[in-house]
Every structure is written in C-alpha cells, then in structure tokens.
C-alpha cells in the first residue's frame, strides 16, 4: 500500500494572528516551519504522495510548499470550513487516480510522532491482509475501516482513510464535517503512546505551549511510557518492577537537581524523563540481551532519547569528567529494585554470585559490574550529600507499604 497525506493549511488563523503553516517550531538542530516539520515527518515514514491544501494566505503557504517540492491545491472556498479543504484534497488525489489510503493532517496539529503514523500504517496493512484472507475463504471482504489514533481513549489526528471512501466524501454536503461524511462506515481506534495527537495550536498561548512541547518529541512522558507498556502487553510483574525503578530514578533525579541548584549550578535533569526511562527500561524483558533489544525498539519508534536511557541499564561506566544524567539514575535505580522492593547493591549482586559460584569468569564479570555500580553510588552520594540507597528504600516503602526486606 502506497499511502498519501492531505495537509490542511487553508484556514484564516484569525485567533492566532499568524499563518499557522509558517509558525516556527524547534526541530532537529534548528527551528523550521510547522509545514516543513510535517512534510519531513511523513517522508520519514515513506509517505511521498503529499497534497497541501491552501486557501487564506495562499501565496505565503504555497511558496513554502514549493520550496519543499510539495503539490498544492487551492481551496476556492476556505471560508466554508475544514471539510471544504478535505474535499479539495480528495479531489486532487482522485484526479491522480490514487487508490491507497490517505491521512488527513491539519497543519495546526504539528507534533504528531512517527510512531503514530507507523502504528496506523501497520494497522492498515493488517486490515488489508485480513481482507485478502477473508476474500480467499469467503469470496468477499468487508469495507476497510477508517483508522483513528487514540491516546488513553481520546481520539486525535490524523485519521487514515481508505481510498474507497473518496466518493462518499466528495458527495457529502459537509454539514457535519469529515466525521459526518464517514458516518456509518467501519471505524477502528488504534491506540498509540503519543499524547501529541491531541495537541493543536489555535491561539498564541497554544503556540507557546507547543514550542515547549516540541523539545520532547524524541522522548516520552510518564503517561506515554505507561501506555507503551500496555500496548506491549507487559505483564503485571514487569509493570510492578518498571514502576518501582521509575519512582526511584525520579526521586534520585529530584535530589540531584536540588543539590546542584543549591550549589548554584543548573540542575540539567528532568525527573519526569528519569521516571519515563525507568518505566521503559525492561520493555523487552524476556528477549535475549533485553536492554539492547529495548534500545533498538525505541530507536525504531524514533525515540532516541528513550533508547539512550534504556540500552545500557545492565552495565555502564561513567567517566569522571562526565556529569550524572537520567541514564545513570535509571541504571542505578534498577539495581536497587528487586521486583517492587528495595535491595542493596551487595545483596543484588550477591544473588548472582551465588547462582554462578562455580563459574569463575561469570563471577569476575559480576564483581566488575558491582564495582562500577558502587562507584556510581559513591559519586552520587557525594553530590547529593546523602546515601542514594536510603532514598531508594524510602521511596519504595512509601509506594508499597512493605517491610524493610533486604535492608539489613
């Protein structure tokens, strides 16, 4: 299936006071227009058939589209609302005899992540395979579904619309918008770990908020990390450990940030990022070299920040001149957590030494990992002026209401 995207950029933007398609948002290394960011996004997942619908501010928007090598169609009646732009885009695809599915992407929802588009394309591919199997068995297949991304049950953008819906869209009066035109057709929600599908920019305050959020596109919030764990069917035992590690990593990040600020330094830490990293550190548990597999999974989802936090949590060395970051805190937090309960380093590694007591090379490797964990623990203790193990134990006792366990 070769998909397309219709980018809607015909609005007047009266509440914004500026052309939304040209608003600058932080990207990889520099700011770029919302339109350029979306074009780059879709091209990154293999969508080359891109149709931009202009209307109000057509000259400025079309100039940017031309610089990007994007086909443009002008909505002759942009004052008729968004559905008139959808119809203009669908007409343009129909003239090109396009027969695949197409995304409908408002330019003012600019922070959608690649993982959302990949999830929708995967769902469409699975639907097509199911339809082919049904036709082979039964001689016919049902109508393909309109696919709508949802985060925590709330619908967002962009929907992925089968091309067979084009005639219905073109025949509709648009009174109830795109949703009304598609009413009665099969619709399937596709859960995604992407709250950005819900974020649009209609006002200057919205724009300011999205400029801040744009810096986090390559990471996940704690709620998004929880959703990704759910989508990966992580069992309750794994969730218990993940939440414990996340809570400890978050606490250590708060303590270290406070210590740095008290010393007149920049905190340079995000406790929420440490929490999300802890939640995801074992996302591929059960696979061979699960920490590497987890990093590779998150890299494929275009989440390099999360991949960096996860891929080294089994063992790492921090050079003396390098600052402690969320990555090291996730690593150390994992060492303090036995399931959802506290365990000191000596006991954590001592269990491994008992298991491999008859294997000298394995014991040497375990002792090396213990030495590196102790070195980080000691360094962190000097920076925060307290024992990180004590903080970890308190956090886990508060969370779980359990006895001290391994504290002795």
């Amino acid at each position: 299936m070769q998909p397309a995207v219709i980018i809607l950029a015909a609005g007047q933007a009266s509440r914004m006071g500026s052309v939304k398609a040209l608003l600058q948002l932080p990207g990889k290394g520099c700011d770029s227009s919302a339109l350029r960011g979306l074009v780059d996004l879709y091209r990154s997942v293999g969508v080359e058939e891109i149709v931009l619908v202009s209307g109000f501010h057509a000259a400025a928007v079309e100039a940017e589209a031309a610089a990007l090598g994007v086909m443009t169609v002008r909505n002759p009646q942009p004052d008729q609302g968004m559905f008139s732009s959808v119809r203009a885009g669908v007409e343009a695809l129909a003239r090109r005899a396009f027969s695949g599915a197409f995304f409908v992407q408002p330019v003012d929802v600019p922070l959608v992540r690649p993982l959302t588009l990949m999830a929708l394309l995967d769902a469409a591919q699975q639907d097509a395979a199911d339809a082919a199997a049904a036709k082979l068995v039964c001689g016919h297949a049902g109508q393909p579904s309109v696919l709508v991304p949802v985060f925590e049950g709330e619908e967002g953008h962009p929907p992925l619309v089968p091309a067979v819906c084009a005639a219905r869209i073109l025949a509709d009066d648009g009174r109830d918008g795109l949703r009304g035109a598609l009413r009665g057709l099969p619709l399937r929600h596709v859960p995604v770990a992407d709250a950005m599908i819900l974020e649009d920019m209609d006002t200057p305050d919205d724009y300011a908020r999205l400029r801040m959020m744009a810096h986090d596109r390559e990471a996940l919030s704690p709620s998004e990390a929880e959703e990704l764990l759910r989508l990966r069917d992580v069992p309750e035992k794994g969730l218990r450990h993940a939440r414990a590690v996340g809570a400890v990593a978050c606490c250590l990040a708060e303590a270290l940030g406070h210590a740095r600020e008290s010393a007149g330094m920049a905190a340079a830490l995000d406790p929420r990022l440490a929490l999300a990293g802890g939640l995801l550190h074992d996302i591929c548990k059960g696979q061979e070299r699960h920490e590497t597999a987890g990093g590779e999974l998150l890299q494929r989802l275009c989440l390099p920040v999360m991949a960096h936090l996860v891929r080294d949590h089994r063992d790492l060395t921090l050079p003396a001149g390098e600052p402690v970051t969320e990555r090291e805190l996730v690593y150390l937090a994992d060492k303090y957590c036995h399931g959802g309960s506290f365990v000191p380093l000596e006991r954590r590694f001592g269990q491994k030494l008992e298991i491999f007591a008859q294997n000298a090379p394995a014991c040497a490797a375990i002792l090396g990992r213990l030495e590196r964990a102790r070195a980080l623990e000691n360094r962190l203790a000097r920076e925060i002026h307290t024992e990180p193990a004590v903080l970890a134990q308190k956090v886990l006792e508060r969370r779980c209401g359990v006895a001290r366990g391994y504290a002795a």
Side-chain angles (χ1 to χ4, degrees), residues 268-346:
L269 286 165
D270 183 350
R272 283 169 50 82
L273 180 60
L275 171 55
L279 285 167
L280 294 179
H281 80 288
D282 270 354
I283 192 168
C284 286
K285 188 72 171 180
Q287 297 184 30
E288 185 177 358
R289 298 183 65 200
H290 72 275
E291 66 283 352
T292 301
E296 291 172 350
L297 167 67
L298 294 165
Q299 196 70 47
R300 288 195 301 274
L301 293 176
C302 300
L303 298 170
V305 173
M306 306 313 299
H308 176 68
L309 297 184
V310 164
R311 68 167 64 99
D312 296 319
H313 77 263
R314 180 171 180 267
D315 187 25
L316 59 78
T317 301
L318 182 65
E322 295 292 323
V324 176
T325 68
E326 296 89 349
R327 167 179 172 262
E328 290 74 41
L329 300 180
V330 169
Y331 157 80
L332 189 59
D334 176 52
K335 302 301 175 277
Y336 287 142
C337 296
H338 178 78
S341 302
F342 173 75
V343 58
L345 294 183
E346 288 71 16

Coordinates of all heavy atoms in Angstrom, one line a residue, residues 268-346:
A268 N 20.0 20.6 35.2 CA 20.3 19.8 34.0 C 19.7 18.4 34.0 O 20.3 17.5 33.5 CB 21.8 19.8 33.7
L269 N 18.6 18.3 34.7 CA 18.0 17.0 34.9 C 16.4 17.1 34.8 O 15.9 18.2 35.2 CB 18.3 16.3 36.2 CG 19.7 15.7 36.4 CD1 20.0 15.5 37.9 CD2 19.9 14.4 35.6
D270 N 15.8 16.1 34.3 CA 14.3 16.1 34.2 C 13.8 14.9 35.0 O 13.9 13.8 34.5 CB 13.9 16.1 32.8 CG 12.3 16.2 32.6 OD1 11.6 16.1 33.7 OD2 11.9 16.3 31.5
P271 N 13.3 15.1 36.2 CA 12.8 13.9 36.9 C 11.7 13.1 36.2 O 11.6 11.9 36.3 CB 12.2 14.5 38.2 CG 13.0 15.8 38.4 CD 13.2 16.3 37.0
R272 N 10.9 13.8 35.4 CA 9.8 13.1 34.6 C 10.5 12.2 33.5 O 10.0 11.1 33.3 CB 8.8 14.1 34.0 CG 7.8 14.7 35.0 CD 7.1 15.8 34.4 NE 6.5 15.5 33.1 CZ 5.3 14.9 32.9 NH1 4.6 14.4 34.0 NH2 4.9 14.6 31.7
L273 N 11.5 12.7 33.0 CA 12.3 11.8 32.0 C 12.9 10.6 32.7 O 12.9 9.5 32.1 CB 13.3 12.7 31.3 CG 14.1 11.9 30.2 CD1 13.3 11.4 29.1 CD2 15.2 12.9 29.6
A274 N 13.4 10.8 33.9 CA 14.0 9.7 34.6 C 12.9 8.7 34.9 O 13.1 7.5 34.8 CB 14.7 10.2 35.9
L275 N 11.7 9.2 35.3 CA 10.6 8.3 35.6 C 10.2 7.5 34.4 O 10.0 6.3 34.4 CB 9.4 9.1 36.1 CG 8.1 8.4 36.3 CD1 8.2 7.2 37.1 CD2 7.0 9.4 36.8
A276 N 10.1 8.2 33.2 CA 9.7 7.5 32.0 C 10.8 6.5 31.6 O 10.5 5.4 31.1 CB 9.5 8.5 30.9
G277 N 12.0 6.8 31.7 CA 13.1 5.9 31.4 C 13.1 4.7 32.3 O 13.3 3.5 31.8
G278 N 12.8 4.9 33.6 CA 12.7 3.7 34.5 C 11.5 2.8 34.1 O 11.6 1.6 34.2
L279 N 10.4 3.5 33.7 CA 9.3 2.7 33.3 C 9.6 1.8 32.1 O 9.1 0.6 32.0 CB 8.1 3.6 33.0 CG 7.4 4.2 34.1 CD1 6.5 5.4 33.6 CD2 6.6 3.2 34.9
L280 N 10.4 2.3 31.2 CA 10.6 1.6 29.9 C 11.9 0.7 29.9 O 12.1 0.0 28.9 CB 10.7 2.6 28.8 CG 9.4 3.3 28.5 CD1 9.6 4.3 27.3 CD2 8.3 2.4 28.1
H281 N 12.6 0.7 31.0 CA 14.0 0.1 30.9 C 13.9 -1.4 30.6 O 14.8 -1.9 30.0 CB 14.8 0.3 32.2 CG 14.4 -0.6 33.4 ND1 13.2 -0.5 34.0 CD2 15.0 -1.7 33.9 CE1 13.1 -1.4 35.0 NE2 14.2 -2.2 34.9
D282 N 12.9 -2.1 31.0 CA 12.8 -3.5 30.7 C 11.7 -3.8 29.7 O 11.1 -4.9 29.7 CB 12.4 -4.3 32.0 CG 13.7 -4.7 32.8 OD1 14.8 -4.5 32.3 OD2 13.5 -5.2 33.9
I283 N 11.4 -2.9 28.8 CA 10.3 -3.1 27.9 C 10.4 -4.3 27.0 O 9.4 -4.9 26.5 CB 10.1 -1.8 27.0 CG1 8.8 -1.9 26.3 CG2 11.3 -1.6 26.1 CD1 8.4 -0.6 25.6
C284 N 11.7 -4.8 26.8 CA 11.9 -6.0 26.0 C 12.3 -7.2 26.9 O 13.0 -8.1 26.4 CB 12.9 -5.8 24.9 SG 12.2 -4.8 23.6
K285 N 12.0 -7.1 28.2 CA 12.4 -8.2 29.1 C 11.9 -9.5 28.6 O 10.8 -9.7 28.1 CB 11.8 -8.0 30.5 CG 12.3 -8.9 31.6 CD 13.7 -8.6 32.0 CE 14.1 -9.4 33.2 NZ 15.5 -9.1 33.6
G286 N 12.8 -10.6 28.6 CA 12.4 -11.9 28.1 C 13.1 -12.1 26.8 O 13.3 -13.3 26.4
Q287 N 13.5 -11.1 26.1 CA 14.3 -11.3 24.9 C 15.8 -11.4 25.2 O 16.2 -10.9 26.3 CB 14.1 -10.1 23.9 CG 12.7 -9.9 23.4 CD 12.5 -8.8 22.4 OE1 13.4 -8.5 21.7 NE2 11.3 -8.2 22.4
E288 N 16.6 -12.0 24.3 CA 18.0 -12.0 24.5 C 18.6 -10.6 24.5 O 18.2 -9.8 23.7 CB 18.6 -12.9 23.4 CG 20.1 -13.1 23.6 CD 20.7 -14.0 22.5 OE1 19.9 -14.4 21.6 OE2 21.9 -14.2 22.5
R289 N 19.5 -10.4 25.5 CA 20.1 -9.0 25.7 C 19.0 -8.0 25.6 O 18.9 -7.1 24.8 CB 21.1 -8.8 24.6 CG 22.3 -9.8 24.6 CD 23.3 -9.4 23.6 NE 23.9 -8.1 23.8 CZ 24.6 -7.4 22.9 NH1 24.6 -7.8 21.7 NH2 25.1 -6.2 23.2
H290 N 18.0 -8.1 26.6 CA 16.8 -7.3 26.5 C 17.1 -5.8 26.6 O 16.3 -5.0 26.0 CB 15.9 -7.7 27.6 CG 16.3 -7.3 29.0 ND1 17.2 -8.0 29.8 CD2 16.0 -6.2 29.7 CE1 17.4 -7.4 30.9 NE2 16.7 -6.3 30.9
E291 N 18.2 -5.4 27.2 CA 18.4 -4.0 27.3 C 18.8 -3.4 25.9 O 18.4 -2.3 25.5 CB 19.6 -3.7 28.3 CG 20.9 -4.2 28.0 CD 21.1 -5.7 28.2 OE1 20.2 -6.3 28.8 OE2 22.2 -6.2 27.8
T292 N 19.6 -4.2 25.1 CA 19.9 -3.8 23.8 C 18.7 -3.8 22.9 O 18.4 -2.9 22.1 CB 21.0 -4.7 23.2 OG1 22.2 -4.6 24.0 CG2 21.3 -4.3 21.8
A293 N 17.9 -4.9 23.1 CA 16.6 -5.0 22.3 C 15.7 -3.8 22.6 O 15.0 -3.3 21.7 CB 15.9 -6.3 22.6
G294 N 15.6 -3.4 23.9 CA 14.7 -2.3 24.2 C 15.2 -1.0 23.6 O 14.4 -0.2 23.0
G295 N 16.5 -0.8 23.6 CA 17.1 0.4 22.9 C 16.8 0.4 21.4 O 16.4 1.4 20.8
E296 N 16.9 -0.8 20.8 CA 16.6 -0.9 19.3 C 15.2 -0.6 19.0 O 14.8 0.0 18.0 CB 17.1 -2.3 18.8 CG 18.6 -2.4 18.8 CD 19.0 -3.8 18.5 OE1 18.1 -4.7 18.4 OE2 20.2 -4.1 18.3
L297 N 14.3 -1.2 19.9 CA 12.8 -1.0 19.7 C 12.5 0.5 19.8 O 11.8 1.1 18.9 CB 12.0 -1.7 20.8 CG 10.6 -1.3 20.9 CD1 9.8 -1.7 19.6 CD2 9.9 -1.9 22.1
L298 N 13.0 1.2 20.8 CA 12.7 2.6 20.9 C 13.4 3.5 19.8 O 12.8 4.5 19.4 CB 13.2 3.1 22.3 CG 12.4 2.4 23.5 CD1 13.1 2.7 24.8 CD2 11.0 3.0 23.6
Q299 N 14.5 3.0 19.3 CA 15.1 3.7 18.2 C 14.3 3.6 17.0 O 14.1 4.6 16.2 CB 16.5 3.2 17.9 CG 17.4 4.0 17.1 CD 17.8 5.3 17.7 OE1 18.3 5.3 18.9 NE2 17.7 6.4 17.0
R300 N 13.7 2.4 16.7 CA 12.8 2.2 15.6 C 11.6 3.1 15.7 O 11.0 3.5 14.7 CB 12.4 0.7 15.5 CG 13.5 -0.2 15.0 CD 12.9 -1.5 14.5 NE 12.2 -2.2 15.6 CZ 12.7 -3.0 16.5 NH1 14.0 -3.2 16.5 NH2 12.0 -3.6 17.4
L301 N 11.1 3.3 16.9 CA 10.0 4.2 17.1 C 10.3 5.7 17.1 O 9.5 6.5 17.4 CB 9.3 3.8 18.5 CG 8.7 2.5 18.6 CD1 8.2 2.2 20.0 CD2 7.6 2.3 17.6
C302 N 11.6 6.0 16.7 CA 12.1 7.3 16.6 C 12.0 8.0 17.9 O 11.6 9.2 18.0 CB 11.3 8.1 15.5 SG 11.4 7.4 13.9
L303 N 12.5 7.3 19.0 CA 12.5 7.9 20.3 C 14.0 7.7 20.8 O 14.2 7.0 21.8 CB 11.6 7.1 21.2 CG 10.1 7.2 20.9 CD1 9.3 6.3 21.7 CD2 9.6 8.7 21.1
P304 N 14.9 8.4 20.2 CA 16.3 8.2 20.6 C 16.7 8.6 22.0 O 17.6 8.0 22.6 CB 17.1 9.0 19.5 CG 16.1 10.1 19.1 CD 14.8 9.4 19.1
V305 N 16.0 9.5 22.6 CA 16.2 9.9 23.9 C 15.9 8.7 24.9 O 16.7 8.4 25.8 CB 15.4 11.1 24.3 CG1 15.5 11.4 25.8 CG2 15.9 12.4 23.5
M306 N 14.8 8.1 24.6 CA 14.4 6.9 25.4 C 15.4 5.8 25.2 O 15.7 5.0 26.1 CB 13.0 6.5 25.2 CG 11.9 7.6 25.3 SD 12.1 8.6 26.8 CE 11.9 7.4 28.1
A307 N 15.7 5.6 24.0 CA 16.7 4.5 23.6 C 18.0 4.7 24.4 O 18.6 3.7 24.9 CB 16.9 4.4 22.1
H308 N 18.4 5.9 24.5 CA 19.7 6.2 25.2 C 19.6 5.8 26.7 O 20.5 5.3 27.3 CB 20.0 7.7 25.1 CG 21.2 8.1 25.8 ND1 22.5 7.7 25.5 CD2 21.3 9.0 26.9 CE1 23.4 8.3 26.4 NE2 22.7 9.0 27.2
L309 N 18.4 6.1 27.3 CA 18.2 5.8 28.7 C 18.1 4.3 29.0 O 18.5 3.8 30.1 CB 16.9 6.4 29.2 CG 16.8 7.9 29.2 CD1 15.5 8.4 29.8 CD2 18.0 8.6 29.9
V310 N 17.7 3.5 28.0 CA 17.4 2.1 28.2 C 18.5 1.1 27.9 O 18.7 0.1 28.5 CB 16.1 1.7 27.4 CG1 15.9 0.2 27.3 CG2 14.9 2.4 28.1
R311 N 19.3 1.4 26.8 CA 20.1 0.4 26.2 C 21.3 0.0 27.1 O 21.9 -1.1 26.9 CB 20.6 0.9 24.9 CG 21.6 2.1 24.9 CD 22.3 2.3 23.6 NE 21.4 2.6 22.6 CZ 21.2 3.9 22.1 NH1 21.9 4.9 22.7 NH2 20.4 4.1 21.2
D312 N 21.7 0.8 28.1 CA 22.8 0.5 28.9 C 22.5 0.2 30.4 O 23.4 0.3 31.2 CB 23.8 1.7 28.9 CG 24.4 1.9 27.5 OD1 24.7 0.9 26.8 OD2 24.5 3.1 27.1
H313 N 21.2 -0.1 30.7 CA 20.9 -0.2 32.1 C 21.4 -1.5 32.8 O 21.4 -1.6 34.0 CB 19.4 -0.1 32.3 CG 18.6 -1.4 32.0 ND1 18.0 -1.6 30.7 CD2 18.3 -2.5 32.7 CE1 17.4 -2.8 30.8 NE2 17.6 -3.3 31.9
R314 N 21.9 -2.4 32.0 CA 22.5 -3.6 32.7 C 23.9 -3.3 33.3 O 24.3 -3.7 34.4 CB 22.7 -4.7 31.7 CG 23.3 -6.0 32.2 CD 23.2 -7.2 31.3 NE 23.7 -8.4 31.8 CZ 25.0 -8.8 31.6 NH1 25.8 -8.0 30.9 NH2 25.4 -9.9 32.1
D315 N 24.7 -2.5 32.5 CA 26.0 -2.2 33.0 C 26.5 -0.9 32.3 O 26.2 -0.7 31.1 CB 27.0 -3.3 32.7 CG 28.4 -3.2 33.3 OD1 28.5 -2.4 34.3 OD2 29.3 -3.7 32.7
L316 N 27.2 0.0 33.0 CA 27.7 1.1 32.3 C 28.9 1.7 33.2 O 29.0 1.4 34.4 CB 26.7 2.2 32.1 CG 25.9 2.8 33.3 CD1 26.7 3.8 34.0 CD2 24.6 3.4 32.8
T317 N 29.7 2.5 32.5 CA 30.8 3.2 33.2 C 30.7 4.7 32.9 O 30.5 5.0 31.7 CB 32.2 2.7 32.7 OG1 32.3 1.3 33.0 CG2 33.3 3.4 33.4
L318 N 30.7 5.5 33.9 CA 30.6 7.0 33.7 C 32.0 7.6 33.9 O 32.5 7.5 35.0 CB 29.6 7.6 34.6 CG 29.4 9.1 34.4 CD1 28.8 9.4 33.1 CD2 28.5 9.6 35.5
P319 N 32.6 8.1 32.9 CA 34.0 8.8 33.0 C 33.9 9.9 34.1 O 32.9 10.5 34.2 CB 34.3 9.3 31.7 CG 33.5 8.5 30.7 CD 32.2 8.2 31.4
A320 N 35.0 10.1 34.8 CA 35.0 11.0 35.9 C 34.6 12.4 35.5 O 34.0 13.1 36.3 CB 36.4 11.0 36.5
G321 N 34.9 12.8 34.3 CA 34.6 14.2 33.9 C 33.2 14.4 33.4 O 32.8 15.5 33.1
E322 N 32.4 13.3 33.2 CA 31.1 13.4 32.7 C 30.0 13.6 33.8 O 30.2 12.9 34.9 CB 30.8 12.2 31.9 CG 31.6 12.0 30.6 CD 31.3 13.1 29.6 OE1 30.2 13.4 29.4 OE2 32.3 13.5 28.9
P323 N 29.0 14.4 33.6 CA 28.0 14.6 34.7 C 27.1 13.4 34.7 O 26.8 12.7 33.7 CB 27.3 15.8 34.2 CG 27.4 15.8 32.7 CD 28.8 15.3 32.4
V324 N 26.5 13.2 35.9 CA 25.4 12.2 36.0 C 24.2 12.7 35.4 O 23.8 13.8 35.6 CB 25.2 11.9 37.5 CG1 24.0 10.9 37.7 CG2 26.4 11.3 38.2
T325 N 23.6 11.8 34.6 CA 22.3 12.2 33.9 C 21.2 11.2 34.2 O 21.4 10.3 35.0 CB 22.6 12.2 32.3 OG1 22.8 10.8 31.9 CG2 23.8 13.0 32.0
E326 N 20.1 11.4 33.6 CA 19.0 10.4 33.8 C 19.3 9.0 33.5 O 18.9 8.1 34.1 CB 17.8 10.9 33.0 CG 17.2 12.2 33.3 CD 17.8 13.4 32.6 OE1 18.9 13.2 31.9 OE2 17.3 14.5 32.6
R327 N 20.2 8.8 32.5 CA 20.7 7.5 32.1 C 21.3 6.7 33.2 O 20.9 5.6 33.5 CB 21.6 7.6 30.9 CG 22.5 6.4 30.6 CD 23.4 6.7 29.4 NE 24.3 5.7 29.1 CZ 25.6 5.6 29.5 NH1 26.0 6.6 30.3 NH2 26.4 4.7 29.2
E328 N 22.2 7.4 34.0 CA 22.9 6.7 35.1 C 21.9 6.5 36.2 O 22.0 5.5 37.0 CB 24.1 7.6 35.5 CG 25.2 7.6 34.6 CD 25.0 8.5 33.4 OE1 24.4 9.6 33.5 OE2 25.3 8.1 32.2
L329 N 20.9 7.4 36.4 CA 20.0 7.2 37.5 C 19.0 6.1 37.2 O 18.7 5.3 38.2 CB 19.2 8.5 37.7 CG 20.1 9.7 38.1 CD1 19.2 11.0 38.3 CD2 20.9 9.5 39.3
V330 N 18.6 5.9 36.0 CA 17.8 4.7 35.7 C 18.6 3.4 35.9 O 18.1 2.4 36.5 CB 17.4 4.8 34.2 CG1 16.8 3.4 33.7 CG2 16.4 5.9 34.0
Y331 N 19.9 3.4 35.5 CA 20.7 2.3 35.8 C 20.8 1.9 37.2 O 20.6 0.8 37.7 CB 22.1 2.6 35.2 CG 23.3 1.8 35.7 CD1 23.5 0.5 35.4 CD2 24.1 2.3 36.7 CE1 24.6 -0.3 35.9 CE2 25.2 1.6 37.2 CZ 25.4 0.3 36.8 OH 26.5 -0.4 37.4
L332 N 21.1 2.9 38.1 CA 21.3 2.7 39.5 C 20.0 2.3 40.1 O 19.9 1.4 41.0 CB 21.9 3.9 40.2 CG 22.3 3.7 41.6 CD1 23.4 2.6 41.7 CD2 22.9 5.1 42.2
A333 N 18.9 3.0 39.7 CA 17.6 2.6 40.3 C 17.2 1.2 40.0 O 16.7 0.5 40.9 CB 16.5 3.6 39.7
D334 N 17.6 0.7 38.9 CA 17.3 -0.7 38.5 C 18.0 -1.7 39.5 O 17.5 -2.7 39.9 CB 17.7 -1.0 37.1 CG 17.5 -2.5 36.7 OD1 16.4 -3.0 36.9 OD2 18.5 -3.1 36.2
K335 N 19.2 -1.3 39.9 CA 20.0 -2.1 40.8 C 19.4 -2.2 42.2 O 19.6 -3.1 43.0 CB 21.4 -1.6 40.8 CG 22.1 -1.6 39.5 CD 22.2 -3.0 38.8 CE 22.7 -2.9 37.4 NZ 21.7 -2.5 36.4
Y336 N 18.6 -1.1 42.6 CA 18.0 -1.1 43.9 C 16.7 -1.8 44.0 O 16.1 -1.8 45.1 CB 17.8 0.4 44.3 CG 19.1 1.2 44.7 CD1 19.2 2.5 44.3 CD2 20.1 0.6 45.4 CE1 20.3 3.2 44.6 CE2 21.2 1.3 45.7 CZ 21.3 2.6 45.4 OH 22.5 3.3 45.7
C337 N 16.2 -2.2 42.9 CA 14.8 -2.8 42.9 C 14.8 -4.3 42.6 O 15.2 -4.7 41.5 CB 14.0 -2.1 41.8 SG 13.7 -0.3 42.2
H338 N 14.3 -5.0 43.5 CA 14.0 -6.5 43.3 C 12.5 -6.6 43.2 O 11.8 -6.6 44.2 CB 14.5 -7.3 44.5 CG 14.3 -8.7 44.4 ND1 15.0 -9.6 43.7 CD2 13.3 -9.5 45.0 CE1 14.6 -10.8 43.8 NE2 13.5 -10.8 44.6
G339 N 12.1 -6.7 42.0 CA 10.6 -6.6 41.7 C 10.2 -5.2 42.1 O 10.7 -4.2 41.5
G340 N 9.3 -5.0 43.1 CA 8.9 -3.7 43.5 C 9.5 -3.4 44.9 O 9.1 -2.3 45.5
S341 N 10.5 -4.2 45.4 CA 11.0 -3.9 46.7 C 12.5 -3.5 46.7 O 13.2 -3.8 45.7 CB 10.9 -5.2 47.5 OG 9.6 -5.7 47.6
F342 N 13.0 -2.9 47.7 CA 14.3 -2.4 47.8 C 15.3 -3.6 48.0 O 15.0 -4.5 48.8 CB 14.5 -1.4 48.9 CG 15.9 -1.0 49.2 CD1 16.5 -0.1 48.3 CD2 16.6 -1.5 50.3 CE1 17.9 0.2 48.5 CE2 17.9 -1.2 50.5 CZ 18.6 -0.3 49.6
V343 N 16.5 -3.5 47.4 CA 17.6 -4.4 47.6 C 18.9 -3.6 47.5 O 19.0 -2.8 46.6 CB 17.6 -5.6 46.6 CG1 17.6 -5.1 45.2 CG2 18.7 -6.6 46.9
P344 N 19.8 -3.7 48.5 CA 21.1 -3.0 48.4 C 21.9 -3.7 47.4 O 21.7 -4.8 47.0 CB 21.7 -3.2 49.8 CG 21.0 -4.4 50.4 CD 19.6 -4.4 49.8
L345 N 22.9 -2.9 46.9 CA 23.8 -3.4 45.8 C 24.4 -4.7 46.2 O 24.5 -5.7 45.4 CB 24.9 -2.4 45.5 CG 24.4 -1.1 44.9 CD1 25.6 -0.2 44.6 CD2 23.6 -1.3 43.6
E346 N 25.0 -4.9 47.4 CA 25.7 -6.1 47.8 C 24.8 -7.3 47.7 O 25.2 -8.4 47.2 CB 26.2 -5.9 49.2 CG 27.4 -5.0 49.3 CD 27.0 -3.5 49.2 OE1 25.8 -3.2 49.3 OE2 27.9 -2.7 49.0

